[in-house]
Amino acid sequence: MASVRFDGASRTYPGGETPAVDALDLTINDGEFFVLIGPSGCGKTTSLRMVAGLETVDDGAVFIGDEDVTKFAPKDRDVAMVFQNYALYPHMTVADNLGFALKMARVAGAQRKERVLEVAKMLQIESLLDRKPRALSGGQRQRVAMGRAIVRQPQVFLMDEPLSNLDAQLRVETRTQIAALQRRLGVTTIYVTHDQVEAMTMGDRVGIMFSGELQQVDAPTRLYHRPANVAVARFIGSPAMNLREVDVVDGHAELHNYAIPLPREIAARGNRIIVGFRPDAVEIVSNGNGSVGLRVTAEVVEELGSDAYMMASFEHHDGVFDIADIVARVDPRDPPKKGEQVTVAIQPDQLHLFAPASGERLN
Protein backbone atom coordinates (compact mmCIF):
# COMPACT_ATOMS: atom_id res chain seq x y z
CA MET A 1 0.00 0.00 0.00
CA ALA A 2 1.07 3.61 -0.38
CA SER A 3 0.22 7.23 0.24
CA VAL A 4 -0.61 9.65 -2.59
CA ARG A 5 0.76 13.18 -2.71
CA PHE A 6 -0.02 16.10 -5.01
CA ASP A 7 2.88 18.57 -4.96
CA GLY A 8 1.68 21.81 -6.56
CA ALA A 9 0.02 19.76 -9.30
CA SER A 10 -1.76 21.76 -12.01
CA ARG A 11 -3.65 20.91 -15.15
CA THR A 12 -4.81 23.38 -17.80
CA TYR A 13 -6.75 22.00 -20.76
CA PRO A 14 -5.77 23.14 -24.26
CA GLY A 15 -7.60 26.35 -25.05
CA GLY A 16 -8.49 26.91 -21.41
CA GLU A 17 -7.72 30.25 -19.80
CA THR A 18 -7.72 29.04 -16.21
CA PRO A 19 -6.39 25.78 -14.74
CA ALA A 20 -8.87 22.95 -14.21
CA VAL A 21 -6.70 22.08 -11.20
CA ASP A 22 -4.56 24.87 -9.79
CA ALA A 23 -1.40 24.11 -7.77
CA LEU A 24 -2.96 21.28 -5.76
CA ASP A 25 -1.09 20.42 -2.56
CA LEU A 26 -2.61 17.40 -0.84
CA THR A 27 -1.48 14.21 0.88
CA ILE A 28 -3.70 11.13 1.15
CA ASN A 29 -2.37 8.84 3.85
CA ASP A 30 -1.53 5.18 3.42
CA GLY A 31 -4.73 3.13 3.86
CA GLU A 32 -6.99 6.20 4.03
CA PHE A 33 -10.42 6.47 2.41
CA PHE A 34 -10.27 10.02 1.06
CA VAL A 35 -13.21 11.69 -0.67
CA LEU A 36 -12.94 14.62 -3.09
CA ILE A 37 -16.18 16.52 -3.45
CA GLY A 38 -17.38 19.65 -5.19
CA PRO A 39 -19.77 20.89 -7.86
CA SER A 40 -19.50 19.84 -11.50
CA GLY A 41 -16.42 21.33 -13.16
CA CYS A 42 -14.55 21.97 -9.92
CA GLY A 43 -11.55 19.79 -10.87
CA LYS A 44 -12.13 16.72 -8.71
CA THR A 45 -12.25 14.17 -11.54
CA THR A 46 -9.29 15.83 -13.25
CA SER A 47 -7.33 15.43 -10.00
CA LEU A 48 -8.22 11.73 -9.88
CA ARG A 49 -7.23 11.22 -13.51
CA MET A 50 -3.89 12.93 -12.84
CA VAL A 51 -3.12 10.19 -10.31
CA ALA A 52 -4.16 7.53 -12.82
CA GLY A 53 -2.00 9.05 -15.55
CA LEU A 54 -5.02 9.77 -17.74
CA GLU A 55 -4.43 13.54 -17.56
CA THR A 56 -1.15 15.36 -18.05
CA VAL A 57 0.33 17.19 -15.06
CA ASP A 58 1.38 20.54 -16.55
CA ASP A 59 3.12 21.81 -13.41
CA GLY A 60 4.10 20.21 -10.13
CA ALA A 61 4.18 16.48 -9.46
CA VAL A 62 2.20 13.47 -8.27
CA PHE A 63 3.77 10.91 -5.92
CA ILE A 64 2.60 7.40 -5.05
CA GLY A 65 4.50 6.41 -1.95
CA ASP A 66 7.94 7.99 -2.28
CA GLU A 67 8.03 7.66 -6.05
CA ASP A 68 7.37 10.54 -8.46
CA VAL A 69 4.98 8.99 -11.00
CA THR A 70 4.25 12.20 -12.90
CA LYS A 71 5.80 10.90 -16.13
CA PHE A 72 4.81 7.25 -15.68
CA ALA A 73 2.41 5.60 -18.12
CA PRO A 74 -0.92 4.59 -16.54
CA LYS A 75 -0.02 0.88 -16.66
CA ASP A 76 3.12 1.50 -14.60
CA ARG A 77 1.45 3.29 -11.69
CA ASP A 78 -0.02 0.28 -9.84
CA VAL A 79 -3.43 1.89 -9.42
CA ALA A 80 -6.88 0.55 -10.26
CA MET A 81 -9.75 2.79 -11.34
CA VAL A 82 -13.50 2.27 -11.07
CA PHE A 83 -15.27 4.46 -13.61
CA GLN A 84 -18.70 6.08 -13.47
CA ASN A 85 -19.97 3.93 -16.36
CA TYR A 86 -18.14 0.78 -15.06
CA ALA A 87 -16.35 0.29 -18.45
CA LEU A 88 -16.89 -3.47 -18.54
CA TYR A 89 -16.05 -5.41 -21.68
CA PRO A 90 -19.49 -6.32 -23.11
CA HIS A 91 -18.32 -9.40 -25.00
CA MET A 92 -16.65 -10.99 -21.97
CA THR A 93 -18.20 -12.92 -19.11
CA VAL A 94 -17.98 -11.61 -15.56
CA ALA A 95 -15.15 -14.06 -14.86
CA ASP A 96 -13.20 -12.87 -17.90
CA ASN A 97 -13.79 -9.21 -16.98
CA LEU A 98 -12.49 -9.88 -13.48
CA GLY A 99 -9.45 -11.75 -14.68
CA PHE A 100 -8.52 -9.61 -17.68
CA ALA A 101 -5.89 -7.49 -15.90
CA LEU A 102 -4.29 -10.63 -14.46
CA LYS A 103 -4.22 -12.20 -17.92
CA MET A 104 -2.47 -9.13 -19.32
CA ALA A 105 0.05 -9.42 -16.48
CA ARG A 106 0.66 -13.04 -17.55
CA VAL A 107 -0.55 -14.52 -14.28
CA ALA A 108 -0.86 -18.31 -14.60
CA GLY A 109 -4.33 -19.64 -15.43
CA ALA A 110 -4.85 -21.62 -12.21
CA GLN A 111 -3.70 -18.73 -10.02
CA ARG A 112 -5.85 -16.33 -12.03
CA LYS A 113 -8.94 -18.50 -11.61
CA GLU A 114 -8.30 -18.83 -7.88
CA ARG A 115 -7.94 -15.08 -7.45
CA VAL A 116 -11.09 -14.34 -9.49
CA LEU A 117 -13.13 -16.79 -7.41
CA GLU A 118 -11.78 -15.30 -4.18
CA VAL A 119 -12.83 -11.78 -5.18
CA ALA A 120 -16.20 -12.97 -6.51
CA LYS A 121 -16.96 -14.59 -3.14
CA MET A 122 -15.88 -11.43 -1.34
CA LEU A 123 -18.38 -9.41 -3.40
CA GLN A 124 -21.05 -12.14 -3.44
CA ILE A 125 -21.11 -12.37 -7.24
CA GLU A 126 -19.83 -15.94 -7.70
CA SER A 127 -23.21 -16.95 -9.17
CA LEU A 128 -22.75 -14.35 -11.92
CA LEU A 129 -19.37 -15.47 -13.24
CA ASP A 130 -20.76 -16.98 -16.46
CA ARG A 131 -22.98 -14.01 -17.34
CA LYS A 132 -22.15 -11.10 -19.60
CA PRO A 133 -22.60 -7.45 -18.54
CA ARG A 134 -25.85 -6.99 -20.48
CA ALA A 135 -27.47 -9.65 -18.26
CA LEU A 136 -26.58 -7.80 -15.04
CA SER A 137 -28.40 -5.13 -13.07
CA GLY A 138 -26.75 -1.80 -12.34
CA GLY A 139 -25.78 -2.89 -8.86
CA GLN A 140 -24.28 -6.13 -10.15
CA ARG A 141 -22.26 -4.29 -12.79
CA GLN A 142 -20.97 -1.95 -10.14
CA ARG A 143 -19.75 -4.90 -8.04
CA VAL A 144 -18.05 -6.46 -11.07
CA ALA A 145 -16.27 -3.16 -11.72
CA MET A 146 -15.19 -3.11 -8.06
CA GLY A 147 -14.01 -6.70 -8.34
CA ARG A 148 -11.95 -5.95 -11.43
CA ALA A 149 -10.10 -3.30 -9.42
CA ILE A 150 -9.68 -5.48 -6.31
CA VAL A 151 -8.36 -8.52 -8.16
CA ARG A 152 -5.26 -6.60 -9.23
CA GLN A 153 -4.24 -5.91 -5.60
CA PRO A 154 -3.08 -2.37 -6.47
CA GLN A 155 -1.45 0.17 -4.19
CA VAL A 156 -4.28 2.68 -4.75
CA PHE A 157 -7.97 2.52 -5.67
CA LEU A 158 -9.37 5.45 -7.69
CA MET A 159 -13.17 5.71 -7.83
CA ASP A 160 -14.93 8.22 -10.07
CA GLU A 161 -18.58 8.56 -8.95
CA PRO A 162 -19.11 4.77 -9.05
CA LEU A 163 -22.63 4.96 -7.57
CA SER A 164 -24.09 7.69 -9.77
CA ASN A 165 -25.98 5.24 -12.02
CA LEU A 166 -27.71 3.42 -9.16
CA ASP A 167 -31.13 4.14 -7.70
CA ALA A 168 -31.38 5.82 -4.30
CA GLN A 169 -31.91 2.68 -2.20
CA LEU A 170 -29.13 0.75 -3.90
CA ARG A 171 -26.77 3.70 -3.48
CA VAL A 172 -27.28 3.59 0.28
CA GLU A 173 -26.62 -0.16 0.43
CA THR A 174 -23.63 -0.05 -1.89
CA ARG A 175 -21.84 2.88 -0.29
CA THR A 176 -21.91 0.98 3.02
CA GLN A 177 -20.47 -2.09 1.31
CA ILE A 178 -17.70 -0.11 -0.39
CA ALA A 179 -16.66 1.60 2.85
CA ALA A 180 -16.62 -1.71 4.73
CA LEU A 181 -14.68 -3.40 1.93
CA GLN A 182 -12.08 -0.66 1.84
CA ARG A 183 -11.52 -0.94 5.57
CA ARG A 184 -11.14 -4.70 5.24
CA LEU A 185 -8.61 -4.43 2.40
CA GLY A 186 -6.80 -1.38 3.81
CA VAL A 187 -6.00 -0.01 0.34
CA THR A 188 -5.50 3.74 -0.05
CA THR A 189 -8.62 4.99 -1.81
CA ILE A 190 -9.48 8.29 -3.50
CA TYR A 191 -13.20 8.57 -4.13
CA VAL A 192 -14.72 11.37 -6.21
CA THR A 193 -18.37 12.38 -5.87
CA HIS A 194 -20.69 15.37 -6.02
CA ASP A 195 -22.97 13.75 -3.42
CA GLN A 196 -22.24 15.17 0.01
CA VAL A 197 -24.07 12.32 1.79
CA GLU A 198 -21.61 9.86 0.22
CA ALA A 199 -18.72 12.09 1.23
CA MET A 200 -19.86 12.55 4.81
CA THR A 201 -20.67 8.88 5.43
CA MET A 202 -17.77 7.21 3.63
CA GLY A 203 -14.66 9.35 3.97
CA ASP A 204 -12.04 9.28 6.72
CA ARG A 205 -11.32 12.79 5.47
CA VAL A 206 -13.02 14.92 2.84
CA GLY A 207 -11.53 17.54 0.54
CA ILE A 208 -13.76 20.21 -1.01
CA MET A 209 -12.83 21.79 -4.34
CA PHE A 210 -14.18 24.86 -6.12
CA SER A 211 -12.89 26.23 -9.42
CA GLY A 212 -9.83 24.01 -9.39
CA GLU A 213 -8.72 24.99 -5.88
CA LEU A 214 -8.83 22.96 -2.69
CA GLN A 215 -10.89 24.88 -0.13
CA GLN A 216 -10.71 22.68 2.97
CA VAL A 217 -9.60 19.20 4.00
CA ASP A 218 -10.98 17.81 7.23
CA ALA A 219 -12.95 15.09 8.96
CA PRO A 220 -16.59 15.09 7.81
CA THR A 221 -17.97 16.36 11.13
CA ARG A 222 -15.52 19.28 11.23
CA LEU A 223 -16.46 20.29 7.69
CA TYR A 224 -20.05 20.53 8.87
CA HIS A 225 -19.39 22.25 12.20
CA ARG A 226 -16.33 24.37 11.27
CA PRO A 227 -16.45 25.30 7.56
CA ALA A 228 -13.37 27.31 6.60
CA ASN A 229 -15.20 29.77 4.38
CA VAL A 230 -18.57 30.76 2.94
CA ALA A 231 -18.18 28.48 -0.08
CA VAL A 232 -17.75 25.39 2.09
CA ALA A 233 -20.50 26.50 4.47
CA ARG A 234 -22.92 26.93 1.57
CA PHE A 235 -22.02 23.58 -0.01
CA ILE A 236 -22.01 21.26 3.01
CA GLY A 237 -25.35 20.53 4.62
CA SER A 238 -28.83 19.85 3.29
CA PRO A 239 -30.74 22.08 3.57
CA ALA A 240 -27.87 24.52 3.19
CA MET A 241 -26.67 26.81 5.95
CA ASN A 242 -28.54 30.10 6.31
CA LEU A 243 -26.09 32.85 5.26
CA ARG A 244 -26.86 36.57 5.43
CA GLU A 245 -24.62 39.61 5.04
CA VAL A 246 -25.77 42.15 7.61
CA ASP A 247 -24.80 45.40 9.34
CA VAL A 248 -22.80 45.48 12.56
CA VAL A 249 -24.34 47.99 15.00
CA ASP A 250 -23.18 48.53 18.61
CA GLY A 251 -21.44 45.17 18.77
CA HIS A 252 -24.39 43.25 17.29
CA ALA A 253 -25.17 41.77 13.89
CA GLU A 254 -28.52 43.19 12.80
CA LEU A 255 -30.53 40.39 11.16
CA HIS A 256 -33.76 42.10 10.15
CA ASN A 257 -35.18 43.08 13.58
CA TYR A 258 -33.04 40.62 15.51
CA ALA A 259 -29.79 41.66 17.23
CA ILE A 260 -27.15 38.92 17.40
CA PRO A 261 -24.34 39.58 19.94
CA LEU A 262 -20.84 39.38 18.46
CA PRO A 263 -17.48 38.81 20.16
CA ARG A 264 -15.83 42.18 20.72
CA GLU A 265 -12.81 41.49 18.52
CA ILE A 266 -15.02 40.41 15.61
CA ALA A 267 -17.46 43.31 15.99
CA ALA A 268 -14.49 45.72 15.81
CA ARG A 269 -13.41 44.43 12.36
CA GLY A 270 -15.91 46.49 10.36
CA ASN A 271 -19.52 47.51 9.84
CA ARG A 272 -20.57 44.43 7.80
CA ILE A 273 -20.40 40.72 8.51
CA ILE A 274 -21.76 37.45 7.13
CA VAL A 275 -23.65 35.42 9.72
CA GLY A 276 -24.38 31.75 9.17
CA PHE A 277 -26.47 29.25 11.08
CA ARG A 278 -27.71 25.76 10.28
CA PRO A 279 -31.46 25.06 10.07
CA ASP A 280 -31.16 22.95 13.22
CA ALA A 281 -29.74 25.96 15.11
CA VAL A 282 -33.10 27.74 14.76
CA GLU A 283 -35.91 27.06 17.20
CA ILE A 284 -39.48 28.28 17.34
CA VAL A 285 -39.99 30.09 20.65
CA SER A 286 -43.64 31.11 20.19
CA ASN A 287 -46.42 31.86 17.75
CA GLY A 288 -46.97 35.51 16.81
CA ASN A 289 -45.50 38.39 18.84
CA GLY A 290 -45.30 36.82 22.28
CA SER A 291 -41.52 36.37 22.58
CA VAL A 292 -38.32 38.22 21.85
CA GLY A 293 -36.82 36.86 18.64
CA LEU A 294 -37.10 36.97 14.90
CA ARG A 295 -40.67 37.11 13.63
CA VAL A 296 -41.16 35.23 10.37
CA THR A 297 -43.93 33.83 8.20
CA ALA A 298 -43.92 30.17 7.19
CA GLU A 299 -44.10 30.16 3.40
CA VAL A 300 -43.39 26.48 2.71
CA VAL A 301 -43.17 23.54 5.11
CA GLU A 302 -41.52 20.35 3.89
CA GLU A 303 -42.64 17.35 5.93
CA LEU A 304 -40.27 14.41 5.47
CA GLY A 305 -41.52 12.01 8.13
CA SER A 306 -38.74 12.04 10.73
CA ASP A 307 -37.85 15.64 9.83
CA ALA A 308 -39.61 18.81 8.78
CA TYR A 309 -38.24 22.10 7.45
CA MET A 310 -39.84 25.53 7.35
CA MET A 311 -38.92 28.00 4.62
CA ALA A 312 -39.86 31.37 6.06
CA SER A 313 -39.76 35.05 5.09
CA PHE A 314 -39.19 38.14 7.19
CA GLU A 315 -41.92 40.06 5.39
CA HIS A 316 -44.84 38.15 3.92
CA HIS A 317 -46.21 39.21 0.54
CA ASP A 318 -49.30 37.16 -0.16
CA GLY A 319 -48.92 35.05 -3.28
CA VAL A 320 -45.31 36.12 -3.86
CA PHE A 321 -42.51 33.86 -2.63
CA ASP A 322 -39.17 33.30 -4.31
CA ILE A 323 -36.27 32.54 -1.98
CA ALA A 324 -36.57 31.85 1.74
CA ASP A 325 -35.06 34.40 4.10
CA ILE A 326 -34.50 31.63 6.61
CA VAL A 327 -34.76 27.83 6.70
CA ALA A 328 -35.43 26.16 10.04
CA ARG A 329 -35.73 22.58 11.17
CA VAL A 330 -39.04 22.24 13.02
CA ASP A 331 -40.86 19.60 15.05
CA PRO A 332 -42.19 17.08 12.49
CA ARG A 333 -45.04 16.19 14.87
CA ASP A 334 -46.31 19.77 15.06
CA PRO A 335 -44.92 21.88 12.20
CA PRO A 336 -46.19 25.40 11.48
CA LYS A 337 -48.90 25.78 8.88
CA LYS A 338 -48.34 27.68 5.64
CA GLY A 339 -48.89 31.39 6.23
CA GLU A 340 -48.54 31.08 10.01
CA GLN A 341 -46.45 33.71 11.77
CA VAL A 342 -43.99 32.43 14.35
CA THR A 343 -41.11 33.81 16.38
CA VAL A 344 -37.78 32.03 16.16
CA ALA A 345 -34.48 32.31 18.00
CA ILE A 346 -30.99 31.36 16.84
CA GLN A 347 -28.78 29.40 19.20
CA PRO A 348 -25.83 31.75 19.78
CA ASP A 349 -23.28 28.97 20.30
CA GLN A 350 -24.01 27.66 16.79
CA LEU A 351 -23.32 30.87 14.89
CA HIS A 352 -20.77 30.93 12.07
CA LEU A 353 -19.21 34.30 11.28
CA PHE A 354 -17.43 35.14 8.01
CA ALA A 355 -15.62 38.14 6.54
CA PRO A 356 -17.69 39.74 3.73
CA ALA A 357 -14.73 40.49 1.46
CA SER A 358 -12.81 37.20 1.62
CA GLY A 359 -15.51 34.85 2.86
CA GLU A 360 -13.06 33.42 5.40
CA ARG A 361 -14.21 32.17 8.79
CA LEU A 362 -13.79 34.58 11.71
CA ASN A 363 -14.85 32.57 14.78
Side-chain angles (χ1 to χ4, degrees), residues 98-107 112 115-116 151-152:
L98 291 174
F100 183 74
L102 300 180
K103 184 178 180 180
M104 291 296 98
R106 301 186 183 280
V107 175
R112 187 166 71 240
R115 181 66 182 148
V116 165
V151 77
R152 294 176 53 188

Side-chain angles (χ1 to χ4, degrees), residues 213-236:
E213 297 184 355
L214 194 64
Q215 302 293 314
Q216 184 175 356
V217 175
D218 225 321
T221 53
R222 280 191 59 83
L223 286 176
Y224 184 84
H225 293 293
R226 299 281 300 175
N229 55 43
V230 168
V232 175
R234 185 178 288 119
F235 188 78
I236 292 293

Side-chain angles (χ1 to χ4, degrees), residues 1 95 98-103 107-123 125 129 146-154 157 181 184-185 187:
M1 311 308 168
L98 291 174
F100 183 74
L102 300 180
K103 184 178 180 180
V107 175
Q111 185 181 352
R112 187 166 71 240
K113 185 176 180 180
E114 180 182 351
R115 181 66 182 148
V116 165
L117 187 58
E118 178 187 348
V119 170
K121 287 180 179 178
M122 184 187 302
L123 296 170
I125 55 174
L129 290 174
M146 285 288 300
R148 193 173 56 181
I150 293 168
V151 77
R152 294 176 53 188
Q153 298 179 316
F157 288 144
L181 185 62
R184 175 181 170 184
L185 297 172
V187 178

Side-chain angles (χ1 to χ4, degrees), residues 156-187:
V156 180
F157 288 144
L158 305 174
M159 302 188 186
D160 185 14
E161 304 205 37
L163 307 185
S164 60
N165 293 328
L166 304 182
D167 62 55
Q169 182 176 348
L170 194 54
R171 285 175 74 118
V172 173
E173 295 173 2
T174 308
R175 75 179 184 229
T176 303
Q177 294 168 354
I178 290 176
L181 185 62
Q182 189 274 339
R183 282 161 178 74
R184 175 181 170 184
L185 297 172
V187 178

Side-chain angles (χ1 to χ4, degrees), residues 265-306:
E265 65 278 10
I266 293 178
R269 291 176 63 97
N271 59 6
R272 299 282 286 177
I273 195 169
I274 296 175
V275 296
F277 47 95
R278 299 283 182 195
D280 53 10
V282 184
E283 58 182 342
I284 296 177
V285 292
S286 82
N287 294 339
N289 298 312
S291 297
V292 175
L294 183 61
R295 191 177 180 213
V296 298
T297 302
E299 303 285 2
V300 175
V301 178
E302 293 183 344
E303 297 183 58
L304 308 174
S306 60

Side-chain angles (χ1 to χ4, degrees), residues 10-22 41-50 54-59 160 212:
S10 297
R11 171 60 171 153
T12 303
Y13 288 108
E17 296 182 0
T18 58
V21 176
D22 191 7
C42 70
K44 57 187 185 297
T45 294
T46 300
S47 301
L48 194 76
R49 290 171 63 86
M50 289 163 73
L54 302 177
E55 292 290 352
T56 302
V57 179
D58 296 315
D59 292 297
D160 185 14

Side-chain angles (χ1 to χ4, degrees), residues 238-256:
S238 181
M241 180 185 289
N242 295 287
L243 291 162
R244 306 282 297 191
E245 184 175 340
V246 299
D247 291 328
V248 176
V249 180
D250 296 331
H252 292 75
E254 295 288 324
L255 179 62
H256 197 53

